[in-house]
Amino acid sequence: PMDSPGIEVRPLITLGGHHEVNQVFLTDVRVPQANRVGEENDGWTVAKYLLEFERGGSFYTGRINVNLMRLRKLARDNDVLDDPAFRKRLAELEVEAQAVSVSELRMLSSLTTGQNPGASASIIKLRGSEATQKATEMTMEAAGLYARNFNGDAFSHDLKQRVIAAIKADLGQVDLVVYSLASPRRIHPVTGTVHKSVLKPIGASYTNKTVDTDKGLVSDITIEPANEAEIADTTAVMGGEDWEMWINALDEAGLIAPGATSVAYSYIGPEVTWPIYKNGTIGIAKNDLERASRKINAILKVNGYGRAFISVNKALVTQASSAIPVVPLYISILYKIMKARGLHEGCIEQI
C-alpha cells in the first residue's frame, strides 16, 4: 500500500504549473508477502505487463490531427505549399499519422476482446512521438521560423556532432547559445565514468521543514552531509564542464558568429535555503558554472566581442527543485505573496 512506512510521494509541477507526475522515494520499505504480486523473483515480468498498459494509455491521433490542421493552414497562408519538397514531406507525415491512428484502433480492438496491448503500445508511443515532433518542426518552418529536435544524450560527443552538422547545413552560424540542461546523472564523454548528482549540505547535517505538496503536510527533514566523491560527482553533472565542451565544439567548427552571446541559468534563493542549496553540493556546482562562464566569455570576446554570462532567475518548482527540502514550502509562500502584490511572473515573462 502507498501508505506503508518509508514511502514518500513528492509531486513534480511542470513549467506550466500542472501536477501530472510524481517522484516516489522508498526508504527501507518492507512489503508483506501477502501483498506480493506474481511469483517470487518474477517482478520484471509483472513490470513489463504493467508497462504495456502504461504505454497504451497515450493516444496521439487527436493531437497529431490538431497539429496537422494548424500546419496546413500556416502552409497555405504562407504559400509554403508551392514548394514540392514541402508538399512531399507533408504527405509523408499525413501517412505516418494515419498509420498511428490505425495502430491505435487495432490496439483498442484488442483491448475490447480482453487481450493485452503487447509491444504495439510501445511502438505506438514511439511513432506517435516522432510524428508529433515532425509536425511541430514543419509548423515552425511553415511560419518562417527554424526548429529542430535531437534525441540523444546531450552530454555525448555524438549529439554535439549531430547538432554541429545540422547548424552547418541549415544555419551556417549561431549568435546565441542558451545552455539549460538538468539531469541527475552524466556519462562523461571522455572517461566513460557515470556521475550522479546529489542534493546535500556540506560539512554538517541539515534540518529544516519541508512540505508534501500532494498531502499538504509540513514536516521536519534531516539530510546528512555529502562526502568528497558526491561533491565531485555533482559538479561533474551540474557544473560548467559540459557547457565549455559545447562552446569549444561550436568554436572549433567555426559556427559561432562574431559578437555571439551564451547564457546559462542559476538560482541563489533566500538564506534559509543556503545550507542545502547555495552552500551545498548544488552551490559548488553552480560555482563551477560561473568559472566556466568566465572561460567562455574570454573565448567569445576574442571572437567579435561576444560575451557569456549567468542569468540568476526566480524560484521555480521543477523536477529538481521540488526534491530540495524547504524550497517547495518557501516557493508556495513566495508565490502567494507575489500574486497578492501583482508581482508574479511566469517563466517566459521573466526570461
Side-chain angles (χ1 to χ4, degrees), residues 173-175 254-261 300 303-304:
Q173 287 186 320
V174 292
D175 58 10
L255 300 181
I256 298 180
T261 297
L300 297 181
N303 188 11

Side-chain angles (χ1 to χ4, degrees), residues 122-277:
S122 295
I123 295 172
I124 290 171
K125 183 176 180 64
L126 174 62
R127 296 305 184 190
S129 297
E130 290 176 342
T132 301
Q133 191 175 89
K134 289 179 182 178
T136 300
E137 290 177 353
M138 291 186 66
T139 299
M140 297 290 285
E141 183 180 344
L145 304 173
Y146 178 85
R148 284 285 299 275
N149 291 293
F150 297 88
N151 291 320
D153 179 2
F155 293 122
S156 69
H157 287 325
D158 173 69
L159 188 67
K160 289 179 176 66
Q161 292 307 311
R162 287 165 52 196
V163 172
I164 285 172
I167 294 173
K168 286 181 177 179
D170 300 343
L171 300 175
Q173 287 186 320
V174 292
D175 58 10
L176 174 63
V177 178
V178 178
Y179 184 84
S180 179
L181 200 165
S183 173
R185 66 194 295 272
R186 176 192 180 201
I187 300 176
H188 198 283
V190 176
T191 67
T193 303
V194 178
H195 300 281
K196 297 180 180 179
S197 63
V198 297
L199 290 162
K200 288 187 176 182
I202 295 175
S205 60
Y206 175 68
T207 299
N208 212 313
K209 294 186 179 299
T210 191
V211 61
D212 182 330
T213 53
D214 194 37
K215 298 179 180 178
L217 298 177
V218 176
S219 60
D220 292 323
I221 187 171
T222 298
I223 300 178
E224 296 303 314
N227 57 42
E228 291 299 321
E230 290 174 321
I231 295 171
D233 278 340
T234 303
T235 300
V237 176
M238 305 186 70
E241 183 187 34
D242 186 62
W243 185 17
E244 288 181 81
M245 287 182 168
W246 272 102
I247 295 300
N248 287 332
L250 292 169
D251 187 41
E252 290 169 5
L255 300 181
I256 298 180
T261 297
S262 186
V263 60
Y265 298 117
S266 188
Y267 172 68
I268 296 176
E271 290 188 26
V272 69
T273 67
W274 283 7
I276 192 66
Y277 196 89

